[in-house]
Amino acid sequence: MKSKPTPFFSSSAFMFFWMLFVVVSSTQSLFSQQINPKILEFNQICAGGPHPTKPGEVFNEYQASFSISGFASDVTFKVELSDATGSFTTPISTTNLPPLTTTPPDSATDKTLVFGIPTNLVGSNAYRLRVTSSTGVSSTPFTIKGTVSTKSFSAYYKAYNDSFAINNNLPSVSFCIGGSVTLTIYNPTPSIPNSSPANYPQLQYNWYKDDALISGQTSSSLVVSTPGVYYAKLDYGLCSDDNFRSQGVTVTSSSGASAAIVSSAGNPFCSSLGNTTLSVTAGNSYVWKKDNTVIAGAITQNYQTSLPGVYTCDVDFGGCKSTGTIDLKVLTTNSTISGVDLDKVNNIVEGETINATITSNATAPSYQWFLEGVAIPGADKNFIDITAQGKYKGVVTQNTGCNISDEFPFEVSFKVNFNVPKIPNIVTPNGDGANDTWVIPDNYLAGTNTHIVILSSLGEIVFETDSYDNYNGWPQTAIEFNNFNPVYYYIITPTGGSAKKGSITLVK
């Protein structure tokens, strides 16, 4: 009897080796994808000025050439900027532009991208550039023109390109000996449209005294306590232009009295008894302000008020000015509340009780608790046990001497088991009660020791916590929408696990 010949490979063995071949081939294909940057045609980016060949347009167009290998024909590429420190941890997107007349045609292996930088870019001398493919492959940073291996370069968007003024466009200012004066970028907008760099908060400045740079002063204002001639220049790094500067302001010091403000009813004062009179040291002229806002018509030595706040009075002593300040406060019951949080919603399980207690130093205080603006019958003690959700308020009143009261509003809500299966990438903070905040899976919440960071599109940290709470999630304050849906980026790092990264788009 003849035995049947045994095949060298069984069908199952054949399938195993075939699948192994496919996996290895795919892996080798991915690793064979390469992007090789060529030397840039520029050594710095100075965008935002007038276009040299297109009158009336703003210049913001640059080219980056590179060669590729191992990519399919449908793969796309984009140019990315590092952050202002040169890191690509949170890269900055650029804007794709159509080819220029000088742009070489693309081939299967050689590409050139035309791009523009963000108009709100924070200037820096440490930016770097790379190209990333739609398959997730990134190049090494580009080398800049005229160097062998330098990768970092200056990048600035010159949002304002003109001279400007400081000190309300006045040529001189004086301060009292021992005092100071603040020089500020003058902004006559909207009376004179587009008239000041102060309309662009991302811009930085260099301040000078007697033609010498003042180290470390880059903001839109400068506190001066020594005489001299001061001026400011727009700091566009290596893209700076000496024409983009302010006038010189001569600052002098003079001897004279120092202004001081006193309250006739004391400080703090009892507002229920009427106004208190604020009086400032006598001078030649007076300008009163409350919380840094000029009070219309308040130009005498005295000012009456029943409102708390920070009051100042600019006094001109004749060639010497001084500002008096008083942080005016009203008498309170000096009370506190415990057991509830006033700054966020207090979440309880339905059927659970939460206790709120007011502690007060008021004389013979009385108490009343409210729910949805209506007094709760019998709730006239300094504490209350709460089992229902709603908007509450506790009020403590002192009825002898100075009639004063303090209020403590807070909200109680039943917990909802969100039980979301995955990390969302869209939030609609429009106040409709649905998807107003970023709600994430339970395994990243408080108690899991998970570190969470949310960054703006500029790479700035806007939220960071190790105890994320879905019931009081991000965003916790209103976010302004400027004709576009802002995009943020999250990094979720569980203890002992790998970081998860993604984007969050806010939609109205």
Side-chain angles (χ1 to χ4, degrees), residues 71-109:
F71 291 96
S73 60
D74 60 347
V75 174
T76 58
F77 301 89
K78 62 181 179 180
V79 174
E80 292 180 333
L81 275 173
S82 68
D83 63 21
T85 67
S87 170
F88 283 102
T89 301
T90 307
I92 299 173
S93 298
T94 62
T95 301
N96 291 328
L97 299 175
L100 307 175
T101 56
T102 59
T103 303
D106 285 348
S107 68
T109 58

Side-chain angles (χ1 to χ4, degrees), residues 199-239:
N199 294 313
Y200 307 94
Q202 76 272 21
L203 297 184
Q204 295 181 321
Y205 303 83
N206 286 323
W207 287 88
Y208 295 81
K209 174 182 179 289
D210 300 329
D211 292 325
L213 177 66
I214 303 173
S215 177
Q217 300 298 320
T218 62
S219 71
S220 59
S221 63
L222 175 71
V223 177
V224 174
S225 58
T226 57
V229 177
Y230 292 80
Y231 59 91
K233 290 183 181 181
L234 280 168
D235 181 11
Y236 288 138
L238 297 177
C239 305

Side-chain angles (χ1 to χ4, degrees), residues 252-275:
T252 57
S253 62
S254 304
S255 60
S258 295
I261 301 174
V262 295
S263 167
S264 64
N267 187 26
F269 73 104
C270 180
S271 60
S272 64
L273 297 179
N275 290 337

Side-chain angles (χ1 to χ4, degrees), residues 270 272-273 331 333 361-366 397-404:
C270 180
S272 64
L273 297 179
L331 284 170
T333 62
N361 290 334
T363 303
S366 61
T397 303
Q398 176 178 282
N399 298 301
T400 60
C402 182
N403 188 354
I404 52 178

Side-chain angles (χ1 to χ4, degrees), residues 404-417:
I404 52 178
S405 62
D406 280 330
E407 299 183 352
F408 300 95
F410 58 94
E411 185 175 354
V412 175
S413 179
F414 292 146
K415 288 184 176 180
V416 177
N417 185 7

Side-chain angles (χ1 to χ4, degrees), residues 50-55 57 59:
H51 199 289
T53 61
K54 301 176 182 177
E57 294 190 18
F59 180 75

